[in-house]
Amino acid sequence: MRPLHGHPVRSLEWSAVKPIYDPALTYEQNYAEGPFGAFADPQVTVTHEGAPLQRFFGLPVWQTFGIPAGPLLNERFTTAAFRAGFDICVYKTVRSSAYPCNPFPNILSVKVDGALTPDKLSSPLLADAHYDQPLSISNSFGVPSQDPDIWQPDMAEAVRRAGDGQVLVGSFQGTRRESTTVGDSYIQDHVRCARMVVETGAPVLELNLSCPNEGTAQLLCFDTPRVRNIVAAVKEAVGNIPLVLKLAYFSDQQALENLISQTSEFADGYAAINTIPARLVDAQGNQALPGEGRAVSGVCGAAVTWAGLDMTARLAHIRDELERDFTIVGVGGVDSPQKYHAFRDAGADAVMSATGAMWNPLLAQEIAGIA
Ligand SMILES: Cc1cc2nc3c(=O)[nH]c(=O)nc-3n(C[C@H](O)[C@H](O)[C@H](O)COP(=O)(O)O)c2cc1C
């Protein structure tokens, strides 16, 4: 018998779904007033009997499923997610000091015919505010952060509110200030921020390497020598607290193998994928997201499932080849129990859903077979 019972909630009709993060509101409004939809409904509560039998970095969990860095802006969001049966929840990426959000809008629906494979990236994709199934979206926040004076006590409360059999993961990244070079101070900022996350009591840390490498054109995770220096310094600072590296999709197998062989002595796990960058336009062919540097924006959701599965399988293969035992967190387009199982079959030890969970807050219960 499953040790998991849900409050009798019906699966939601797509047309009636109110997402947990409201794309029609600003990030600040969502932060202050969210979560919305089923996450604001205290009746959406999973209760458990017995003991959690699954493990995530040795920590007991009811189910190896959760929400990755992004949709859970603060403790109210993580607590609601835990209540709804998402047992591994990542608190949205924080920085060592306050950082502004990109201008509104920050989320748009992206129209992709099937999978967003590399051949489809040569022409722009239509983006608008009509959210249809199968859903892919773009998120363009610029990794905003509250000041540590705000996020540290809030993350500490999020850790405390995780139930038995649930794990709060603290995501963080480094910031390069204008006055500094991409050198030692950038590494030290990662270390400083990692220590701040440790102070909250988060039992697992995740370092976001899949954001633009500040000061260069490419993503940080594609810069293996720099990543190795950063990860070595962070690991020394955080000791035996598990450290996960969040990666983008790698098309170059040699580059992926090189990154893993250079970092797996320090990293305890890898989470992949983040979003896939694409050029977005509105119905008139104009840039869809306003402002400089936003012609290209990251796409996530159903259209990137192939890339998440592909990275999971390749990470599992590299793990075998290198005879390492790191944890793999599979992310990308998970919006159904079938996809959860496909990621597990591909080698993921845990699976997470951002877009899918935002529009289907009952997804964890569906995977558990209770919704
Ligand atoms: C609203 C939103 C905000 C996000 N913010 C972050 C973030 O702060 N840090 C990060 O590492 N990834 C962030 N992501 C990326 C997700 O963690 C995930 O890698 C990506 O969305 C692919 O998963 P999905 O297809 O299930 O959405 C964000 C995603 C969404 C939808």
Side-chain angles (χ1 to χ4, degrees):
M1 195 183 75
R2 282 178 186 277
L4 185 62
H5 299 285
H7 190 275
V9 281
R10 281 172 293 113
S11 290
L12 298 172
E13 287 302 319
W14 178 255
S15 57
V17 167
K18 190 162 170 25
I20 61 169
Y21 179 105
D22 187 345
L25 301 179
T26 63
Y27 161 79
E28 289 78 12
Q29 286 171 311
N30 274 279
Y31 189 96
E33 296 162 27
F36 301 101
F39 273 17
D41 179 356
Q43 295 220 335
V44 178
T45 299
V46 170
T47 53
H48 299 276
E49 282 171 13
L53 300 177
Q54 308 290 315
R55 293 286 180 274
F56 182 63
F57 291 110
L59 302 164
V61 288
W62 298 103
Q63 189 166 252
T64 46
F65 183 64
I67 298 182
L72 307 177
L73 306 188
N74 56 35
E75 177 275 325
R76 291 195 315 278
F77 283 79
T78 57
T79 298
F82 283 133
R83 207 173 53 219
F86 294 88
D87 293 327
I88 308 170
C89 288
V90 187
Y91 190 107
K92 184 165 168 58
T93 306
V94 293
R95 297 178 183 259
S96 61
S97 55
Y99 202 87
C101 188
N102 283 346
F104 179 84
N106 305 102
I107 292 183
L108 288 175
S109 169
V110 179
K111 315 301 170 192
V112 188
D113 185 13
L116 183 55
T117 41
D119 53 301
K120 293 198 186 118
L121 293 170
S122 50
S123 7
L125 301 173
L126 175 65
D128 62 24
H130 302 291
Y131 298 88
D132 311 308
Q133 270 184 314
L135 181 63
S136 297
I137 64 171
S138 179
N139 77 80
S140 169
F141 290 84
V143 196
S145 179
Q146 304 293 319
D147 189 88
D149 283 350
I150 294 173
W151 69 250
Q152 276 196 299
D154 188 64
M155 190 185 284
E157 181 62 10
V159 173
R160 279 192 290 274
R161 299 292 296 269
D164 183 32
Q166 300 187 317
V167 176
L168 190 287
V169 179
S171 167
F172 69 100
Q173 71 176 56
T175 306
R176 191 177 74 87
R177 304 293 160 190
E178 268 168 34
S179 55
T180 62
T181 55
V182 186
D184 281 354
S185 63
Y186 189 40
I187 297 176
Q188 285 320 310
D189 187 72
H190 281 85
V191 170
R192 190 163 50 248
C193 198
R195 287 204 172 106
M196 289 175 177
V197 177
V198 170
E199 282 168 11
T200 70
V204 177
L205 266 58
E206 182 176 281
L207 169 51
N208 181 16
L209 298 171
S210 38
C211 61
N213 185 3
E214 301 181 21
T216 71
Q218 62 169 358
L219 298 183
L220 182 51
C221 61
F222 297 143
D223 188 345
T224 296
R226 182 164 293 143
V227 168
R228 184 180 157 89
N229 288 340
I230 290 170
V231 175
V234 167
K235 188 60 185 170
E236 195 182 327
V238 305
N240 55 12
I241 299 180
L243 177 66
V244 179
L245 306 185
K246 174 83 176 280
L247 306 180
Y249 180 73
F250 277 64
S251 45
D252 182 338
Q253 178 68 9
Q254 189 56 52
L256 181 61
E257 284 173 14
N258 194 27
L259 179 85
I260 305 304
S261 68
Q262 293 292 311
T263 56
S264 52
E265 68 186 278
F266 310 114
D268 303 279
Y270 296 88
I273 59 168
N274 209 307
T275 55
I276 294 187
R279 193 164 296 276
L280 304 181
V281 292
D282 63 19
Q284 286 72 45
N286 300 319
Q287 182 176 323
L289 287 160
E292 209 184 317
R294 294 177 93 199
V296 169
S297 181
V299 177
C300 48
V304 309
T305 309
W306 71 274
L309 276 171
D310 182 57
M311 275 288 280
T312 298
R314 286 160 62 203
L315 285 168
H317 180 72
I318 294 170
R319 179 169 61 183
D320 287 349
E321 293 275 295
L322 296 179
E323 297 181 357
R324 303 280 159 90
D325 63 355
F326 53 78
T327 292
I328 298 172
V329 182
V331 191
V334 178
D335 54 12
S336 68
Q338 291 76 11
K339 287 193 189 172
Y340 166 81
H341 290 293
F343 273 79
R344 290 302 307 260
D345 292 346
D349 302 285
V351 181
M352 295 189 180
S353 167
T355 309
M358 286 167 78
W359 268 265
N360 181 6
L362 304 185
L363 185 55
Q365 296 183 47
E366 289 177 6
I367 290 169
I370 56 171

